[in-house]
Every structure is written in C-alpha cells, then in structure tokens.
Amino acid sequence: MILFAALCLLVLFGLMAFQALAFSQTRVPRCTEKDIEEAKSLASSAKLKISIAKEVFSETHPEGTVVSQEPAGGSRVRKGSLVKVVVSKGPRPIKVEPVALEAGKDMSPETVSETTSTPEERPSTPVLSTPVAPPPSTDSTSTGTSVTTPPTAGGKVVCIDPGHQARANLGREPIGPGSSQTKEKCRGGATGVSSGTPEYKLTLEIGLKLRALLEKKGITVVMTRETNDVDISNIERAEIANEAGAHLFVRIHHNGSSNLSLGGACTLYPADGSWTAPIYASSRRAAQLIQRELVKSTGLKNNSIFARSDITGFNWSKVPAVLTEIGFLSNPEEDRLLNTGEFQDKAAQGLFNGIVEYLNET
Ligand SMILES: [Zn+2]
C-alpha cells in the first residue's frame, strides 16, 4: 500500500514536471520571408523576443523582409528567448541620384578639386571684403504685414532657399542673364540611401528651423518656398532674393555621391565671373563664416568652400549668395542623422551662427 502511494506520488510529480517544462517552452515561428512587422507579431504571440541582428542589402528579398533567423522556425525554445533575424534593406543602390545641385555636378571632394586650382576657390585666410551694398529697401511701399514684403529700413533680410521641390522641372533656362547655355529649371535632388527621404523634404525642414531662429533675432526672412508642392525655377529663386533686397541669399542642399563612404559639408559661392563679380567677395565671406559655423555645430567633416560659375541660382542673383551642402544623403550615417530633429537643429543653428556673424560684419 505504501509502495503504491509512493508510486502514485512519483507519477504525479513526473506529470507536473513535464507539464511545467511544456508550459515554459514554445515553438519558434517561421519568420524568414515574412515582413519584419509580421515576424515581430508572430514572435510576440509565441512569447518570444525578436531582435534585428543585422540589416543587409538583398536582391532577392524586398526591403523589410526577414532574410534569415536564429534559431530556426519550428524549433522549441524556452519562452522569453531571443530570436535573432537578419532583415533586408532592399537591393544595393547602383546609382544615387546625382548630386543635389542644379549644377548637376557630383560635389564629392574629388570632383570639386578640379576647380580648386583657380585662386578664388582656395579656402584661404578670410578676406574682409567691402560688402556689396544691399539693394535699396522699398520700405515706402511696404505694408510690413508679411515676410514677403520688402524690408523695413535698417532691418536685415535673409532669403532662405530650401533646395529642390517635390516634382523636378526639367524644362531649361539660361544659366546666366543673356547666356545661350541652359540648364534644368529645377532638378530632382538626392535621396537618402537608407531612409529614402528626398532631399527637398529635409532642406525645407532645416530651412524652416533656420527661419525660426533668424526671426527670433529680429531678422526678416523671405522663403523661396514653404511647401514641397511648388514649381520654382532656379532663376525664380534668385529673383525672389533680389526682389526681397536680401542681405544674404542662403540656399540649403544635401549632397549625394555614388561613393557611399563620402561625407561632410561644403559651401559654394559665386565665382568672380562677369555675372557675379559684384557679389563675389561678400558671398565668399559669408561662405567662409557659414561653413565654419556649420561644421562646428554639426560635427560634419569640413569639405571646404568652393567658387562656382555654373550655378543658375548664383548667376541671376544680385545679392550675396551661398549654397551649403549639409552632409551626404548617400552616406548611411549622415542620412540617418539628417532625418533626426536633433541634427537638423544643429544644422540650423550652425547656419544661423554663420549668417549672424556675416550680417554683423556688413
Ligand atoms: Zn540639392
């Protein structure tokens, strides 16, 4: 009898132990070939945690699809275990949208360097130039009710041009007054290599942050655009700055290159050519200050300043102008940074510091 009771107890304990084991275990779902969001929900239903071990380029798996997993689907593991997955970033980009500039040149340092041989392009010691007198203010007719009206006397005006727009305009226009050479009215810009974020969206976000900083300082700001759904050519952008009587025309862009390892910031300014000679020295000074402050604020690599004679938006400008390339959207790390509000704030702050320094000198 005692023996029988002991046997019963043993069986009971055995059953309980088996049950406990069974309840603490779960079957790993098959995540491979599934969308990461679906994989996450499957893992969660199976009381498992999921972690993305790696993201890889894949020709065979669409972006966001699980390429492989560890442990394999179907195996039994303890509840709460970690399933590591490798997720596809989609196919490796073969060609990143060529740069960013209406100039259509790859602004990577290598390609820019060919132009650095001319004296004005050397980022040499700062030259305190005689600033170009800003066009007279037409304040007598100004109602002062809108930022798009001409400045009031004595106030400083900055025109911000967030590069590009939602839809490129490939119609052509002369690169300078009277020129037979033409270029696209407004090219499509670069695209974030990982984020897919278009350049025009980021340039506007930073442009609006910059506007807020400048306006807080009492500086009048004229935007060439405040939305992405516009159609404004590069000549028209320069003319907005001219009509505003801007003390400085600040054009915001982000770079792109087929070399994904390139990174950093550079600032362009009009060369000492026939169209832009009157604004050359002051633009160069602004470029020096903005480039210095931008690099200081963002921590981006300093790719220097460059004079350009082929940029429509410079050649039609009658006011000092700069075009800053804030980071490379083709560089995964810089793409990630540019998509954060924190980094955009740093970029806007850097531009602001440089602009204010420039305005204080004029
Ligand atoms: Zn651009």
Side-chain angles (χ1 to χ4, degrees):
M1 184 62 192
I2 288 170
L3 199 68
F4 179 71
L7 202 67
C8 282
L9 266 175
L10 204 69
V11 170
L12 194 68
F13 280 130
L15 271 171
M16 280 166 70
F18 175 77
Q19 214 169 26
L21 191 70
F23 274 111
S24 71
Q25 290 219 322
T26 182
R27 197 179 288 275
V28 178
R30 278 182 218 283
C31 300
T32 309
E33 311 297 332
K34 299 212 162 71
D35 185 85
I36 180 66
E37 293 309 318
E38 192 187 347
K40 279 180 188 169
S41 96
L42 286 170
S44 152
S45 315
K47 302 279 185 287
L48 292 169
K49 291 180 206 146
I50 205 160
S51 109
I52 298 173
K54 208 162 46 163
E55 286 183 298
V56 295
F57 290 116
S58 167
E59 304 298 323
T60 49
H61 292 76
E63 187 181 349
T65 310
V66 176
V67 176
S68 63
Q69 68 179 91
E70 172 68 40
S75 50
R76 294 196 72 88
V77 295
R78 190 174 280 276
K79 282 178 187 167
S81 300
L82 196 63
V83 179
K84 290 182 178 171
V85 293
V86 174
V87 178
S88 168
K89 293 195 278 190
R92 182 181 292 280
I94 299 159
K95 181 168 151 275
V96 175
E97 191 76 34
V99 183
L101 286 177
E102 59 192 56
K105 294 256 172 92
D106 187 321
M107 282 308 304
S108 58
E110 302 97 284
T111 43
V112 171
S113 63
E114 67 195 53
T115 60
T116 55
S117 53
T118 55
E120 72 268 26
E121 285 141 6
R122 268 184 281 115
S124 56
T125 49
V127 179
L128 229 324
S129 57
T130 319
V132 172
S137 156
T138 52
D139 64 306
S140 54
T141 57
S142 169
T143 58
T145 52
S146 155
V147 290
T148 55
T149 58
T152 51
K156 295 280 163 93
V157 181
V158 170
C159 179
I160 301 174
D161 177 33
H164 308 280
Q165 56 201 24
R167 231 176 290 171
N169 182 343
L170 301 181
R172 301 186 75 86
E173 62 186 4
I175 67 157
S179 177
S180 57
Q181 195 184 337
T182 62
K183 272 208 311 217
E184 290 92 342
K185 289 183 173 178
C186 187
R187 280 181 173 241
T191 304
V193 66
S194 312
S195 66
T197 310
E199 183 182 346
Y200 64 78
K201 189 166 173 280
L202 297 171
T203 60
L204 181 59
E205 282 169 10
I206 293 174
L208 292 173
K209 283 172 190 261
L210 175 60
R211 173 171 76 174
L213 292 173
L214 290 166
E215 285 184 342
K216 217 191 301 173
K217 180 97 179 161
I219 295 165
T220 303
V221 176
V222 174
M223 303 290 292
T224 57
R225 66 181 181 93
E226 292 174 280
T227 64
N228 294 319
D229 189 23
V230 294
D231 184 11
I232 314 169
S233 81
N234 287 307
I235 293 180
E236 287 164 347
R237 288 168 197 246
E239 281 173 349
I240 291 171
N242 295 342
E243 278 161 30
H247 293 75
L248 189 60
F249 179 29
V250 180
R251 315 186 67 202
I252 302 171
H253 284 254
H254 306 291
N255 227 328
S257 169
S258 50
N259 179 349
L260 306 193
S261 67
L262 290 181
C266 70
T267 300
L268 314 180
Y269 61 98
D272 193 7
S274 53
W275 292 309
T276 50
I279 58 168
Y280 160 72
S282 45
S283 299
R284 181 168 186 273
R285 181 63 182 148
Q288 286 172 332
L289 295 169
I290 287 172
Q291 174 70 9
R292 187 182 74 193
E293 294 303 321
L294 179 66
V295 165
K296 204 194 286 179
S297 177
T298 58
L300 286 171
K301 180 167 167 269
N302 188 346
N303 288 339
S304 189
I305 63 170
F306 300 98
R308 293 283 289 260
S309 58
D310 59 335
I311 294 185
T312 310
F314 283 168
N315 294 339
W316 287 84
S317 180
K318 293 181 167 54
V319 299
V322 296
L323 187 157
T324 179
E325 294 273 4
I326 308 169
F328 280 71
L329 280 171
S330 45
N331 177 310
E333 173 58 11
E334 293 186 358
D335 174 27
R336 187 189 67 76
L337 284 172
L338 283 164
N339 278 279
T340 66
E342 193 192 350
F343 186 85
Q344 291 177 359
D345 287 337
K346 286 183 191 169
Q349 187 66 49
L351 296 176
F352 169 79
N353 294 346
I355 291 167
V356 169
E357 277 182 56
Y358 171 78
L359 293 177
N360 284 341
E361 285 185 3
T362 60

